[in-house]
Amino acid sequence: MGPRKTPHYLFNLIFMSRMRNKALAFVLVEGRTDEALWWDFTVENNCRLERVNGKQNLLSLLDSSMFRDIRGLAAIVDADYNLILRSDELDRQNLLYDNTCPDSEIMLLDSPALAKILRNHLTQVEIEEVHAFAEKLRHEALKLAEEIGLFRCLNAKHNYGINFKEFNLKDVIDVETLEFDRSWAARRLCENIRELQSDRLIAEVKALRNKFPNGSIKLCNGHDAVYIIALIFPSLFEREFGVPLRDTTRLALASTTLSASLRTAYEFDYFVQTSLFDEVRAWEAVNAPFRIIRD
């Protein structure tokens, strides 16, 4: 597990490391999956990733006087619903994020990574058909993820205290029709919140939907999208190709493994096309000689 990464520990780590390498950049990330994702893209020997267990811990470190003036220190975070709510949470020096995709998993899905995974598992299907199916699967999953994303965004805006951890998406998604039961979702989400009625929540969801027409990935949560892909994959596959999905493929693309597969399939060339890549390069331009991303 290693030492507990307190602010003093991190400060001393940076100080001691810079004694050996004055050009060593330090990049704070939220957790282990972020560290795994960015590891292969960073400059070898000249960039060190440090996970700090969550966005709020990361932001607190950036705000502290201990770290504010350290050169070559940056952080990569998921913007989440701040892309829509436009709060000042992301208005910090040395904070880097993608301004199109709300989190890293949506960024992975906004690339050919899913198609790459499927063509290595659906080898019984022609590659052109696999690619078309991957795009349809991605489209349908993101459309459904937007639906629950409307509720998540309102919760983030108004701090309703909705407990999404105990909410199961399979209870409100019909895997055959690919329809989302918005009314039932509202009732379930309001169950333990006395001050919030489902009719009011539905009205707020409709108003937010009018502001953001279908196709806005900024509404999506990556964990929701990956879960939905795994949920609707078998029925959508059978509908498209007329045969049941193999059990081995179903297990290989379960939600617990799909996130890891997406990270593995995500290539540097995909990352180069993102706004986060541009943000990193802009940071490097004004923080020479520190570098984060390899060439």
Side-chain angles (χ1 to χ4, degrees), residues 144-198:
L144 290 165
E146 284 181 49
E147 284 291 323
I148 188 62
L150 292 165
F151 292 95
R152 286 188 179 275
C153 186
L154 288 169
N155 187 57
K157 180 179 181 180
H158 299 295
N159 196 26
Y160 286 140
I162 296 174
N163 184 355
F164 288 94
K165 291 183 179 179
E166 295 184 3
F167 178 76
N168 200 325
L169 279 167
K170 70 179 181 181
D171 294 336
V172 295
I173 292 175
D174 187 319
V175 297
E176 299 300 330
T177 64
L178 302 181
E179 294 293 327
F180 183 94
D181 192 333
R182 189 182 287 178
S183 297
W184 178 238
R187 289 195 295 272
R188 284 281 290 107
L189 292 170
C190 291
E191 273 182 346
N192 299 313
I193 305 175
R194 183 180 303 175
E195 299 81 9
L196 184 61
Q197 301 300 315
S198 61

Short mmCIF file of all heavy atoms in Angstrom, two decimals, residues 144-198:
data_model
loop_
_atom_site.label_atom_id
_atom_site.label_comp_id
_atom_site.label_asym_id
_atom_site.label_seq_id
_atom_site.Cartn_x
_atom_site.Cartn_y
_atom_site.Cartn_z
N LEU A 144 -29.18 6.43 -22.95
CA LEU A 144 -29.76 6.02 -21.67
C LEU A 144 -29.00 6.63 -20.50
O LEU A 144 -29.59 7.00 -19.48
CB LEU A 144 -29.76 4.49 -21.57
CG LEU A 144 -30.74 3.78 -22.50
CD1 LEU A 144 -30.42 2.30 -22.59
CD2 LEU A 144 -32.18 4.00 -22.04
N ALA A 145 -27.68 6.76 -20.65
CA ALA A 145 -26.88 7.38 -19.59
C ALA A 145 -27.24 8.85 -19.41
O ALA A 145 -27.17 9.38 -18.30
CB ALA A 145 -25.39 7.23 -19.90
N GLU A 146 -27.63 9.50 -20.50
CA GLU A 146 -28.10 10.89 -20.39
C GLU A 146 -29.33 10.98 -19.50
O GLU A 146 -29.49 11.95 -18.75
CB GLU A 146 -28.45 11.44 -21.77
CG GLU A 146 -27.26 11.81 -22.63
CD GLU A 146 -27.71 12.36 -23.97
OE1 GLU A 146 -28.60 13.24 -23.98
OE2 GLU A 146 -27.21 11.89 -25.00
N GLU A 147 -30.21 10.00 -19.59
CA GLU A 147 -31.45 10.02 -18.82
C GLU A 147 -31.17 10.03 -17.32
O GLU A 147 -31.70 10.86 -16.59
CB GLU A 147 -32.33 8.82 -19.19
CG GLU A 147 -33.04 8.96 -20.52
CD GLU A 147 -34.12 10.04 -20.46
OE1 GLU A 147 -34.79 10.18 -19.42
OE2 GLU A 147 -34.29 10.73 -21.47
N ILE A 148 -30.34 9.13 -16.86
CA ILE A 148 -30.01 9.14 -15.42
C ILE A 148 -29.10 10.31 -15.11
O ILE A 148 -29.09 10.85 -14.00
CB ILE A 148 -29.38 7.79 -14.99
CG1 ILE A 148 -29.22 7.73 -13.47
CG2 ILE A 148 -28.06 7.55 -15.69
CD1 ILE A 148 -30.51 7.81 -12.70
N GLY A 149 -28.35 10.76 -16.12
CA GLY A 149 -27.49 11.92 -15.94
C GLY A 149 -28.27 13.20 -15.64
O GLY A 149 -27.77 14.08 -14.92
N LEU A 150 -29.47 13.31 -16.16
CA LEU A 150 -30.32 14.45 -15.85
C LEU A 150 -30.59 14.54 -14.34
O LEU A 150 -30.52 15.60 -13.74
CB LEU A 150 -31.64 14.36 -16.62
CG LEU A 150 -31.57 14.51 -18.14
CD1 LEU A 150 -32.87 14.02 -18.78
CD2 LEU A 150 -31.30 15.96 -18.53
N PHE A 151 -30.87 13.38 -13.75
CA PHE A 151 -31.10 13.33 -12.30
C PHE A 151 -29.82 13.64 -11.53
O PHE A 151 -29.84 14.35 -10.53
CB PHE A 151 -31.64 11.95 -11.90
CG PHE A 151 -33.02 11.65 -12.40
CD1 PHE A 151 -33.23 10.95 -13.58
CD2 PHE A 151 -34.14 12.06 -11.68
CE1 PHE A 151 -34.50 10.65 -14.04
CE2 PHE A 151 -35.43 11.79 -12.12
CZ PHE A 151 -35.61 11.08 -13.31
N ARG A 152 -28.72 13.09 -12.00
CA ARG A 152 -27.43 13.33 -11.31
C ARG A 152 -27.06 14.81 -11.36
O ARG A 152 -26.56 15.37 -10.38
CB ARG A 152 -26.32 12.50 -11.97
CG ARG A 152 -26.38 11.00 -11.66
CD ARG A 152 -25.13 10.32 -12.21
NE ARG A 152 -25.10 8.89 -11.95
CZ ARG A 152 -24.65 8.33 -10.84
NH1 ARG A 152 -24.20 9.10 -9.85
NH2 ARG A 152 -24.63 7.01 -10.70
N CYS A 153 -27.29 15.43 -12.51
CA CYS A 153 -26.94 16.84 -12.66
C CYS A 153 -27.77 17.72 -11.73
O CYS A 153 -27.24 18.63 -11.08
CB CYS A 153 -27.14 17.26 -14.11
SG CYS A 153 -26.59 18.94 -14.48
N LEU A 154 -29.06 17.44 -11.63
CA LEU A 154 -29.92 18.21 -10.72
C LEU A 154 -29.52 18.01 -9.27
O LEU A 154 -29.55 18.94 -8.47
CB LEU A 154 -31.38 17.81 -10.93
CG LEU A 154 -32.02 18.29 -12.24
CD1 LEU A 154 -33.37 17.62 -12.45
CD2 LEU A 154 -32.18 19.81 -12.23
N ASN A 155 -29.13 16.78 -8.94
CA ASN A 155 -28.67 16.51 -7.57
C ASN A 155 -27.40 17.29 -7.25
O ASN A 155 -27.24 17.83 -6.15
CB ASN A 155 -28.44 15.01 -7.40
CG ASN A 155 -28.12 14.63 -5.97
OD1 ASN A 155 -28.89 14.89 -5.05
ND2 ASN A 155 -26.97 14.01 -5.78
N ALA A 156 -26.50 17.36 -8.24
CA ALA A 156 -25.27 18.12 -8.04
C ALA A 156 -25.55 19.62 -7.92
O ALA A 156 -24.91 20.33 -7.14
CB ALA A 156 -24.31 17.87 -9.21
N LYS A 157 -26.54 20.10 -8.67
CA LYS A 157 -26.87 21.52 -8.66
C LYS A 157 -27.55 21.94 -7.37
O LYS A 157 -27.22 22.98 -6.77
CB LYS A 157 -27.78 21.85 -9.85
CG LYS A 157 -28.18 23.32 -9.92
CD LYS A 157 -29.07 23.57 -11.14
CE LYS A 157 -29.45 25.05 -11.22
NZ LYS A 157 -30.32 25.31 -12.42
N HIS A 158 -28.51 21.13 -6.90
CA HIS A 158 -29.34 21.53 -5.76
C HIS A 158 -28.96 20.83 -4.46
O HIS A 158 -29.55 21.14 -3.41
CB HIS A 158 -30.81 21.25 -6.07
CG HIS A 158 -31.33 21.99 -7.25
ND1 HIS A 158 -31.43 23.37 -7.27
CD2 HIS A 158 -31.77 21.56 -8.47
CE1 HIS A 158 -31.93 23.75 -8.44
NE2 HIS A 158 -32.14 22.68 -9.18
N ASN A 159 -28.02 19.89 -4.54
CA ASN A 159 -27.59 19.16 -3.34
C ASN A 159 -28.78 18.50 -2.63
O ASN A 159 -28.97 18.65 -1.43
CB ASN A 159 -26.85 20.10 -2.38
CG ASN A 159 -26.07 19.34 -1.33
OD1 ASN A 159 -25.66 18.19 -1.55
ND2 ASN A 159 -25.85 19.96 -0.19
N TYR A 160 -29.56 17.75 -3.39
CA TYR A 160 -30.74 17.08 -2.85
C TYR A 160 -30.40 15.93 -1.90
O TYR A 160 -31.24 15.53 -1.10
CB TYR A 160 -31.61 16.54 -3.99
CG TYR A 160 -32.38 17.59 -4.74
CD1 TYR A 160 -32.51 17.53 -6.13
CD2 TYR A 160 -33.00 18.64 -4.08
CE1 TYR A 160 -33.23 18.49 -6.83
CE2 TYR A 160 -33.72 19.61 -4.77
CZ TYR A 160 -33.83 19.52 -6.14
OH TYR A 160 -34.55 20.47 -6.83
N GLY A 161 -29.21 15.41 -2.03
CA GLY A 161 -28.84 14.28 -1.19
C GLY A 161 -29.36 12.95 -1.69
O GLY A 161 -29.54 12.00 -0.90
N ILE A 162 -29.59 12.82 -3.00
CA ILE A 162 -30.07 11.57 -3.57
C ILE A 162 -28.97 10.51 -3.49
O ILE A 162 -27.82 10.76 -3.81
CB ILE A 162 -30.49 11.77 -5.04
CG1 ILE A 162 -31.69 12.73 -5.12
CG2 ILE A 162 -30.84 10.45 -5.70
CD1 ILE A 162 -32.09 13.10 -6.53
N ASN A 163 -29.35 9.32 -3.06
CA ASN A 163 -28.40 8.22 -2.91
C ASN A 163 -28.44 7.36 -4.18
O ASN A 163 -29.28 6.48 -4.32
CB ASN A 163 -28.74 7.38 -1.68
CG ASN A 163 -27.71 6.29 -1.43
OD1 ASN A 163 -26.79 6.08 -2.22
ND2 ASN A 163 -27.87 5.58 -0.34
N PHE A 164 -27.52 7.61 -5.09
CA PHE A 164 -27.48 6.85 -6.34
C PHE A 164 -26.85 5.48 -6.15
O PHE A 164 -27.03 4.60 -7.00
CB PHE A 164 -26.73 7.64 -7.41
CG PHE A 164 -27.48 8.82 -7.94
CD1 PHE A 164 -27.29 10.09 -7.39
CD2 PHE A 164 -28.40 8.69 -8.96
CE1 PHE A 164 -27.98 11.18 -7.86
CE2 PHE A 164 -29.10 9.78 -9.45
CZ PHE A 164 -28.90 11.03 -8.89
N LYS A 165 -26.08 5.29 -5.09
CA LYS A 165 -25.40 4.01 -4.88
C LYS A 165 -26.39 2.87 -4.66
O LYS A 165 -26.11 1.72 -4.98
CB LYS A 165 -24.44 4.12 -3.69
CG LYS A 165 -23.23 5.00 -3.96
CD LYS A 165 -22.27 5.01 -2.79
CE LYS A 165 -21.06 5.88 -3.09
NZ LYS A 165 -20.11 5.93 -1.96
N GLU A 166 -27.55 3.18 -4.10
CA GLU A 166 -28.56 2.15 -3.86
C GLU A 166 -29.60 2.08 -4.98
O GLU A 166 -30.61 1.38 -4.85
CB GLU A 166 -29.25 2.41 -2.52
CG GLU A 166 -28.30 2.28 -1.32
CD GLU A 166 -29.03 2.45 0.00
OE1 GLU A 166 -30.27 2.61 -0.02
OE2 GLU A 166 -28.35 2.42 1.04
N PHE A 167 -29.34 2.78 -6.06
CA PHE A 167 -30.25 2.81 -7.20
C PHE A 167 -29.70 1.92 -8.30
O PHE A 167 -28.56 2.08 -8.73
CB PHE A 167 -30.40 4.25 -7.70
CG PHE A 167 -31.28 4.40 -8.91
CD1 PHE A 167 -32.66 4.32 -8.78
CD2 PHE A 167 -30.74 4.62 -10.15
CE1 PHE A 167 -33.48 4.46 -9.89
CE2 PHE A 167 -31.55 4.77 -11.26
CZ PHE A 167 -32.93 4.69 -11.13
N ASN A 168 -30.49 0.96 -8.76
CA ASN A 168 -30.03 0.01 -9.78
C ASN A 168 -30.66 0.36 -11.13
O ASN A 168 -31.88 0.34 -11.28
CB ASN A 168 -30.41 -1.42 -9.38
CG ASN A 168 -29.57 -2.45 -10.13
OD1 ASN A 168 -29.22 -2.24 -11.28
ND2 ASN A 168 -29.24 -3.53 -9.45
N LEU A 169 -29.81 0.66 -12.07
CA LEU A 169 -30.30 1.08 -13.39
C LEU A 169 -31.10 0.00 -14.10
O LEU A 169 -31.97 0.31 -14.92
CB LEU A 169 -29.12 1.51 -14.27
CG LEU A 169 -28.61 2.93 -14.04
CD1 LEU A 169 -27.26 3.13 -14.71
CD2 LEU A 169 -29.61 3.95 -14.56
N LYS A 170 -30.83 -1.26 -13.80
CA LYS A 170 -31.57 -2.32 -14.50
C LYS A 170 -33.05 -2.32 -14.13
O LYS A 170 -33.87 -2.91 -14.84
CB LYS A 170 -30.95 -3.69 -14.21
CG LYS A 170 -31.14 -4.22 -12.82
CD LYS A 170 -30.49 -5.59 -12.68
CE LYS A 170 -30.68 -6.15 -11.28
NZ LYS A 170 -30.05 -7.48 -11.13
N ASP A 171 -33.40 -1.63 -13.03
CA ASP A 171 -34.81 -1.54 -12.63
C ASP A 171 -35.59 -0.53 -13.47
O ASP A 171 -36.83 -0.56 -13.46
CB ASP A 171 -34.92 -1.14 -11.15
CG ASP A 171 -34.37 -2.21 -10.22
OD1 ASP A 171 -34.34 -3.39 -10.62
OD2 ASP A 171 -33.97 -1.85 -9.09
N VAL A 172 -34.91 0.35 -14.18
CA VAL A 172 -35.62 1.40 -14.93
C VAL A 172 -35.29 1.38 -16.42
O VAL A 172 -35.74 2.24 -17.16
CB VAL A 172 -35.29 2.80 -14.36
CG1 VAL A 172 -35.84 2.94 -12.95
CG2 VAL A 172 -33.80 3.09 -14.39
N ILE A 173 -34.52 0.39 -16.86
CA ILE A 173 -34.18 0.27 -18.28
C ILE A 173 -34.73 -1.04 -18.82
O ILE A 173 -34.45 -2.11 -18.29
CB ILE A 173 -32.65 0.32 -18.50
CG1 ILE A 173 -32.10 1.71 -18.16
CG2 ILE A 173 -32.30 -0.04 -19.96
CD1 ILE A 173 -30.60 1.81 -18.25
N ASP A 174 -35.52 -0.95 -19.87
CA ASP A 174 -36.02 -2.14 -20.57
C ASP A 174 -34.99 -2.53 -21.62
O ASP A 174 -34.79 -1.80 -22.60
CB ASP A 174 -37.37 -1.82 -21.22
CG ASP A 174 -38.05 -3.04 -21.81
OD1 ASP A 174 -37.34 -3.87 -22.42
OD2 ASP A 174 -39.27 -3.17 -21.68
N VAL A 175 -34.33 -3.66 -21.43
CA VAL A 175 -33.23 -4.04 -22.32
C VAL A 175 -33.73 -4.44 -23.71
O VAL A 175 -32.94 -4.49 -24.66
CB VAL A 175 -32.39 -5.18 -21.72
CG1 VAL A 175 -31.73 -4.74 -20.42
CG2 VAL A 175 -33.24 -6.44 -21.49
N GLU A 176 -35.04 -4.72 -23.83
CA GLU A 176 -35.57 -5.10 -25.14
C GLU A 176 -35.94 -3.86 -25.96
O GLU A 176 -35.63 -3.77 -27.14
CB GLU A 176 -36.80 -6.00 -24.96
CG GLU A 176 -36.51 -7.31 -24.23
CD GLU A 176 -35.48 -8.17 -24.96
OE1 GLU A 176 -35.42 -8.11 -26.21
OE2 GLU A 176 -34.76 -8.93 -24.28
N THR A 177 -36.61 -2.91 -25.32
CA THR A 177 -37.05 -1.71 -26.05
C THR A 177 -36.05 -0.56 -25.94
O THR A 177 -36.16 0.43 -26.65
CB THR A 177 -38.40 -1.22 -25.51
OG1 THR A 177 -38.26 -0.82 -24.13
CG2 THR A 177 -39.45 -2.33 -25.61
N LEU A 178 -35.09 -0.70 -25.01
CA LEU A 178 -34.09 0.35 -24.73
C LEU A 178 -34.76 1.65 -24.29
O LEU A 178 -34.30 2.75 -24.63
CB LEU A 178 -33.20 0.59 -25.96
CG LEU A 178 -32.43 -0.63 -26.47
CD1 LEU A 178 -31.57 -0.26 -27.67
CD2 LEU A 178 -31.55 -1.22 -25.37
N GLU A 179 -35.80 1.50 -23.51
CA GLU A 179 -36.51 2.65 -22.96
C GLU A 179 -36.16 2.83 -21.49
O GLU A 179 -35.92 1.87 -20.76
CB GLU A 179 -38.03 2.46 -23.10
CG GLU A 179 -38.53 2.44 -24.54
CD GLU A 179 -38.36 3.78 -25.24
OE1 GLU A 179 -38.47 4.82 -24.56
OE2 GLU A 179 -38.12 3.78 -26.46
N PHE A 180 -36.14 4.10 -21.07
CA PHE A 180 -35.84 4.47 -19.69
C PHE A 180 -37.13 4.93 -19.03
O PHE A 180 -37.80 5.83 -19.55
CB PHE A 180 -34.79 5.58 -19.67
CG PHE A 180 -34.33 5.99 -18.30
CD1 PHE A 180 -33.20 5.43 -17.73
CD2 PHE A 180 -35.02 6.96 -17.58
CE1 PHE A 180 -32.76 5.82 -16.48
CE2 PHE A 180 -34.59 7.36 -16.32
CZ PHE A 180 -33.46 6.78 -15.77
N ASP A 181 -37.48 4.33 -17.90
CA ASP A 181 -38.71 4.70 -17.19
C ASP A 181 -38.40 5.87 -16.25
O ASP A 181 -38.03 5.70 -15.10
CB ASP A 181 -39.22 3.49 -16.40
CG ASP A 181 -40.64 3.71 -15.88
OD1 ASP A 181 -41.03 4.87 -15.66
OD2 ASP A 181 -41.36 2.71 -15.68
N ARG A 182 -38.61 7.07 -16.76
CA ARG A 182 -38.25 8.28 -16.02
C ARG A 182 -39.11 8.47 -14.77
O ARG A 182 -38.61 8.87 -13.71
CB ARG A 182 -38.37 9.50 -16.94
CG ARG A 182 -37.81 10.77 -16.35
CD ARG A 182 -38.01 11.94 -17.31
NE ARG A 182 -37.12 11.89 -18.45
CZ ARG A 182 -37.15 12.79 -19.44
NH1 ARG A 182 -38.02 13.78 -19.41
NH2 ARG A 182 -36.29 12.70 -20.44
N SER A 183 -40.39 8.15 -14.87
CA SER A 183 -41.29 8.32 -13.73
C SER A 183 -40.94 7.38 -12.59
O SER A 183 -40.90 7.78 -11.42
CB SER A 183 -42.75 8.09 -14.16
OG SER A 183 -43.15 9.04 -15.10
N TRP A 184 -40.67 6.13 -12.92
CA TRP A 184 -40.31 5.16 -11.89
C TRP A 184 -38.95 5.54 -11.27
O TRP A 184 -38.77 5.43 -10.06
CB TRP A 184 -40.27 3.76 -12.48
CG TRP A 184 -39.86 2.68 -11.53
CD1 TRP A 184 -38.82 1.82 -11.66
CD2 TRP A 184 -40.48 2.34 -10.28
NE1 TRP A 184 -38.74 0.97 -10.59
CE2 TRP A 184 -39.77 1.27 -9.72
CE3 TRP A 184 -41.58 2.85 -9.59
CZ2 TRP A 184 -40.10 0.69 -8.50
CZ3 TRP A 184 -41.92 2.27 -8.36
CH2 TRP A 184 -41.18 1.22 -7.84
N ALA A 185 -38.03 6.01 -12.10
CA ALA A 185 -36.73 6.45 -11.59
C ALA A 185 -36.91 7.58 -10.58
O ALA A 185 -36.29 7.58 -9.52
CB ALA A 185 -35.84 6.89 -12.74
N ALA A 186 -37.76 8.54 -10.92
CA ALA A 186 -37.99 9.68 -10.02
C ALA A 186 -38.57 9.22 -8.68
O ALA A 186 -38.15 9.69 -7.62
CB ALA A 186 -38.92 10.69 -10.69
N ARG A 187 -39.53 8.30 -8.73
CA ARG A 187 -40.13 7.81 -7.48
C ARG A 187 -39.10 7.08 -6.63
O ARG A 187 -39.05 7.26 -5.41
CB ARG A 187 -41.32 6.89 -7.80
CG ARG A 187 -42.53 7.64 -8.35
CD ARG A 187 -43.78 6.78 -8.30
NE ARG A 187 -43.68 5.61 -9.17
CZ ARG A 187 -44.03 5.61 -10.46
NH1 ARG A 187 -44.48 6.72 -11.02
NH2 ARG A 187 -43.95 4.51 -11.17
N ARG A 188 -38.28 6.26 -7.26
CA ARG A 188 -37.26 5.52 -6.52
C ARG A 188 -36.22 6.46 -5.90
O ARG A 188 -35.81 6.30 -4.74
CB ARG A 188 -36.55 4.52 -7.44
CG ARG A 188 -37.35 3.30 -7.75
CD ARG A 188 -37.31 2.29 -6.59
NE ARG A 188 -35.99 1.68 -6.46
CZ ARG A 188 -35.11 1.94 -5.51
NH1 ARG A 188 -35.40 2.82 -4.57
NH2 ARG A 188 -33.95 1.34 -5.46
N LEU A 189 -35.81 7.47 -6.64
CA LEU A 189 -34.77 8.37 -6.17
C LEU A 189 -35.26 9.30 -5.06
O LEU A 189 -34.46 9.79 -4.26
CB LEU A 189 -34.22 9.20 -7.34
CG LEU A 189 -33.43 8.39 -8.39
CD1 LEU A 189 -33.14 9.26 -9.62
CD2 LEU A 189 -32.12 7.86 -7.81
N CYS A 190 -36.56 9.53 -5.02
CA CYS A 190 -37.12 10.42 -3.99
C CYS A 190 -37.60 9.68 -2.74
O CYS A 190 -38.07 10.31 -1.78
CB CYS A 190 -38.31 11.20 -4.57
SG CYS A 190 -37.86 12.43 -5.79
N GLU A 191 -37.50 8.37 -2.75
CA GLU A 191 -38.09 7.54 -1.69
C GLU A 191 -37.75 8.01 -0.28
O GLU A 191 -38.61 8.08 0.58
CB GLU A 191 -37.65 6.08 -1.86
CG GLU A 191 -38.55 5.28 -2.77
CD GLU A 191 -38.11 3.84 -2.88
OE1 GLU A 191 -36.98 3.50 -2.46
OE2 GLU A 191 -38.91 3.03 -3.39
N ASN A 192 -36.50 8.30 -0.04
CA ASN A 192 -36.07 8.62 1.33
C ASN A 192 -35.75 10.10 1.53
O ASN A 192 -35.00 10.46 2.45
CB ASN A 192 -34.85 7.76 1.69
CG ASN A 192 -35.17 6.27 1.65
OD1 ASN A 192 -36.19 5.85 2.18
ND2 ASN A 192 -34.30 5.50 1.00
N ILE A 193 -36.30 10.96 0.65
CA ILE A 193 -36.07 12.40 0.77
C ILE A 193 -37.41 13.09 0.96
O ILE A 193 -38.17 13.29 -0.01
CB ILE A 193 -35.33 12.95 -0.47
CG1 ILE A 193 -34.03 12.18 -0.70
CG2 ILE A 193 -35.03 14.44 -0.29
CD1 ILE A 193 -33.29 12.56 -1.94
N ARG A 194 -37.73 13.43 2.17
CA ARG A 194 -39.05 13.98 2.50
C ARG A 194 -39.33 15.28 1.76
O ARG A 194 -40.46 15.55 1.35
CB ARG A 194 -39.15 14.19 4.02
CG ARG A 194 -40.50 14.68 4.50
CD ARG A 194 -40.50 14.86 6.01
NE ARG A 194 -40.14 13.63 6.70
CZ ARG A 194 -39.97 13.54 8.02
NH1 ARG A 194 -40.11 14.63 8.77
NH2 ARG A 194 -39.65 12.39 8.58
N GLU A 195 -38.30 16.11 1.59
CA GLU A 195 -38.50 17.44 1.02
C GLU A 195 -38.64 17.43 -0.50
O GLU A 195 -38.95 18.45 -1.10
CB GLU A 195 -37.32 18.35 1.40
CG GLU A 195 -37.14 18.55 2.89
CD GLU A 195 -36.39 17.40 3.56
OE1 GLU A 195 -35.89 16.52 2.81
OE2 GLU A 195 -36.36 17.35 4.80
N LEU A 196 -38.39 16.28 -1.12
CA LEU A 196 -38.38 16.23 -2.59
C LEU A 196 -39.45 15.26 -3.09
O LEU A 196 -39.44 14.08 -2.78
CB LEU A 196 -37.00 15.78 -3.08
CG LEU A 196 -36.76 15.77 -4.59
CD1 LEU A 196 -36.92 17.16 -5.18
CD2 LEU A 196 -35.37 15.21 -4.91
N GLN A 197 -40.38 15.78 -3.89
CA GLN A 197 -41.45 14.97 -4.46
C GLN A 197 -41.09 14.58 -5.90
O GLN A 197 -40.47 15.35 -6.63
CB GLN A 197 -42.77 15.74 -4.43
CG GLN A 197 -43.21 16.16 -3.04
CD GLN A 197 -43.42 14.97 -2.12
OE1 GLN A 197 -44.03 13.96 -2.53
NE2 GLN A 197 -42.92 15.06 -0.90
N SER A 198 -41.53 13.40 -6.30
CA SER A 198 -41.17 12.89 -7.62
C SER A 198 -41.73 13.76 -8.75
O SER A 198 -41.08 13.95 -9.78
CB SER A 198 -41.64 11.45 -7.78
OG SER A 198 -43.05 11.35 -7.68
#
